[in-house]
Structures are given as structure tokens and as C-alpha cells.
Amino acid sequence: MVSVYKGKQPSLAQLRAFVAVAEHLHFRDAAAAIGMSQPALSGAVSALEEALGVQLLERTTRKVLLSPAGERLAVRARAVLDAVAELMEEAEAAHAPFTGVLRLGVIPTVAPYLLPTVLRLVHERYPDLDLQVHEEQTSSLLEGLGAGRLDLLLLAVPLGVPGVTELPLFDEDFVLVTPEDHWLGGRTDIPRDALRELRLLLLDEGHCLRDQALDICREAGREDGAAVTTTAAGLSTLVQLVAGGLGVTLLPRTAVTVETGRNDKLVTGWFADPAPSRRVALAMRTGAARQAEFEELAGALREAMRALPVRVAGQPGG
């Protein structure tokens, strides 16, 4: 239905005055209820009648009555004021940090090992935050961040993506996981160049950990054409392939306890310093409305992750 009335727009103050009179049917009582003087209240109602072009009240020396139009419009006016109140509540909630929904994207090689720490922190420190977790590969997460489907990412960096700001959390070393009878198993001084000839098992295409592992191997002098004949969709499968004697693999340190503790046929080897490593960070849209909130969350996560086998990063830019 299209309105054809061309009068002035009523103000919220006028609507509040009218609704107060409609509820109390008494100017003095209505004025006291909303903290206005009686003349100001009367003037606001008169101005509303003029703006709407409708008589809302029937005034006598003894009482105030609603006109038929006034009875109908009082219902509408209450609905408008209720909607404005809800709008203000939503704005207040949006302004308050760590409330509402936070859609967090996490890569598969981080999620099982860091989420317990993240979830515990959110539960204890930010109980009003509705955290929703989405586990996806890096390319999908970045697409979701850019499209607004996700608010914040937890993943390995650097990304080198324009419009995305990284909030570093920590660096962690990679270790070499081998079968129990492997010649490098249990060593604490493995040189990187040992990776040149090893039968290395990697994750499938699309996992950033696969790319990181290949970068480490190239740095160690491994030829790009060196065969990778067996791959896996997840780290759990990868270490079981190692236990079966099909080769060796690289694991980030945060994954070692979870992935090797279930099989006594696996042995961990440690690289000589400086060990190959990866950096894990939060990533957000540059200039995000919740930037201050995300930076505070990053700081809280750094503290919470000091108990993990990682090197906590300094502040961004530090």
C-alpha cells in the first residue's frame, strides 16, 4: 500500500508524548511518566496532530479521550517506539565488544590442535560471544573472508593477499615423523639436507602445509621433480602411512602429541637449529569494523598459547 499523505514526518519525541497520553489519559500523569513538562507534552501532541493531519485526542475540562483515529494510531506509535528501542539495543550490542556472532575460519592442519585452546579461552573470557567455526582449506577461507561469509581466519601465513591484515600468534617448528626403525628416528640434530633423498609423504593438493613442506624441501636442496607418490587428505592418515612404512612426513609441533601418541610404531626426529618452521596468525579484512576486538583477541590467544610448544609472536609490527 502506497501512502499519499504528504504531511510532515512526526518526531520520536512527539510519538512518545502521544503514547504516554494514550496510556494515562491524563496530561499531568503522562508528562510525569516521561519526564516532560505538561505544556511541552501538550505542545508535542498538538504538533503530532498537525504533522499527521488527524485529531488524535478529544480534550475536555475533566478528562482526555482518544479519538477513533487516535486509538488506531496509538497502536502504530507504540510499534514504532518498540522498533526504535530494539534498534538501539542492537546497536548497543554491536558496539559492545565480544558479543554477537563471530564466524571463525580455520585450516584443517590447525583446527584439531589449536581449537581446544581457542574454545576454552572464548568460553572463559568471552561468554557472550557466539563463536561459529568453519574448517576449510586456505583458498576457501580467503574467499569467505573477502565475501563477508567469514569474519576472522586462523591459518598459516604469510598470505600475501591485498586487503587482508595478519595478526601473528606464534611460530612453531616442524619435526620429522618416521617409522620406528628409520635411521633418523629419535635424532635431535637432523640436518635439513637429509630431506633431499627421503621418501616424503605429503598432504593432498590445496593444503597449505603441503606447500610449506615442499618449500622446506626446496630450501634443503631437494629437486622439484622428486617423486611424491603417496598423499593423504589429513594428518591422521598421513602418520598412519608413515607407521606402515611407506615413508616419512613433516608435522608441526602442535600436532605431534595428538597424531603420534596413538601409534607406538612412530618416532619423532628433531631438526638441528634453526629448524624449519611455520607462522600461525589470525587474518581479518583490512579496516574491519571489529579490528580493535580482533586485535584484543589475538593478544589473549598469544597468552593462552604460551603453554603450547610454540614461540609466541610479538605484537604486529614488533
Side-chain angles (χ1 to χ4, degrees), residues 75-160:
V75 175
R76 297 285 190 179
R78 288 190 190 96
V80 169
L81 293 177
D82 287 344
V84 170
E86 292 175 1
L87 174 67
M88 297 304 293
E89 290 175 1
E90 284 290 333
E92 184 177 355
H95 180 71
F98 301 107
T99 59
V101 175
L102 174 58
R103 298 162 297 183
L104 176 68
V106 190
I107 56 174
T109 58
V110 161
Y113 321 114
L114 298 187
L115 277 181
T117 300
V118 174
L119 297 177
R120 183 166 55 251
L121 172 71
V122 170
H123 176 73
E124 293 176 355
R125 187 174 297 194
Y126 311 117
D128 295 325
L129 186 64
D130 180 9
L131 183 66
Q132 299 178 0
V133 177
H134 302 262
E135 185 184 58
E136 302 169 22
Q137 291 185 9
T138 299
S139 59
S140 177
L141 293 181
L142 288 171
E143 180 277 326
L145 185 70
R149 177 173 60 83
L150 298 171
D151 303 309
L152 194 63
L153 309 181
L154 178 59
L155 72 181
V157 296
L159 299 168

Side-chain angles (χ1 to χ4, degrees), residues 157 171-174 192 212 216 274-279 311:
V157 296
D171 297 301
E172 64 176 329
D173 292 340
F174 284 99
R192 290 199 191 198
Q212 291 164 343
I216 292 167
S277 64
R278 72 171 179 177
R279 170 162 286 194
R311 295 182 298 280

Side-chain angles (χ1 to χ4, degrees), residues 108-109 113 174-179 199-205 207-211 213-214 228-252 255 258-260 262-263 265-267 278:
T109 58
Y113 321 114
F174 284 99
V175 300
L176 188 70
V177 178
T178 72
R199 187 178 184 187
L200 191 65
L201 306 180
L202 299 176
L203 292 174
D204 292 337
E205 295 278 357
H207 289 275
C208 64
L209 187 59
R210 173 192 175 93
D211 297 331
L214 289 173
V228 177
T229 57
T230 303
T231 62
L235 293 182
S236 295
T237 302
L238 206 57
V239 296
Q240 296 312 311
L241 295 175
V242 173
L246 296 186
V248 302
T249 196
L250 293 169
L251 282 188
V258 172
E259 299 301 348
T260 66
R262 296 181 292 228
N263 196 317
K265 297 185 181 300
L266 295 168
V267 179
R278 72 171 179 177

Side-chain angles (χ1 to χ4, degrees), residues 23-42:
E23 291 176 351
H24 294 277
L25 295 177
H26 196 288
F27 277 96
R28 185 178 66 246
D29 293 346
I34 62 174
M36 291 180 72
S37 68
Q38 189 171 331
L41 181 94
S42 179

